[in-house]
Amino acid sequence: MRSQHRASRIVLLGLCAMLLGLGGGLLPQVATAQPATSAALVGSSTAVGGHAATAGPEPGVSINKQQEQADKERSANKLILGVVVVLLLVIVYFGRRKRGKYRRKLKNLQNAKA
């Protein structure tokens, strides 16, 4: 009984460490985007009549792909975090339920002896 309690504490400690980023980083990381330089814009533009024309966004193409990728990762992290929270709540619920049954059983045995 005591070893099960100790094992559950170790598991919960490990999950907390993972949530804090010590064992895999489930929390979202802050993404830093580098600003585009004018040289990169001129180099990527197409030459029209000897002049550099700026290339506009293509129709239907997202301008900020990095932000969309960060949003996808954040939503995936929130989903994983939600699953972990629900799992921990289930563990706590059934653990308390089992402990309550054990205490009632022990109490009934003590009342039967008296």
Side-chain angles (χ1 to χ4, degrees):
M1 179 76 173
R2 193 165 179 87
S3 63
Q4 289 176 347
H5 183 67
R6 187 174 296 151
S8 65
R9 280 188 179 181
I10 291 171
V11 169
L12 289 176
L13 183 63
L15 287 173
C16 290
M18 281 182 25
L19 289 176
L20 292 175
L22 300 175
L26 292 179
L27 294 179
Q29 301 295 324
V30 178
T32 57
Q34 297 177 350
T37 61
S38 60
L41 292 175
V42 171
S44 66
S45 62
T46 59
V48 177
H51 299 288
T54 59
E58 297 177 17
V61 176
S62 174
I63 296 172
N64 198 354
K65 291 183 181 179
Q66 291 177 346
Q67 183 64 34
E68 287 181 359
Q69 182 67 23
D71 289 341
K72 286 180 184 178
E73 291 175 6
R74 186 175 296 126
S75 64
N77 287 340
K78 286 183 178 182
L79 179 67
I80 292 170
L81 187 62
V83 169
V84 169
V85 167
V86 168
L87 181 67
L88 289 175
L89 287 174
V90 167
I91 290 171
V92 168
Y93 172 76
F94 284 109
R96 288 183 173 262
R97 184 175 165 192
K98 185 174 182 179
R99 185 173 54 185
K101 286 182 179 180
Y102 175 75
R103 285 185 178 172
R104 277 182 264 147
K105 180 181 173 183
L106 189 63
K107 190 175 183 180
N108 286 339
L109 288 175
Q110 288 175 350
N111 287 340
K113 288 182 183 178

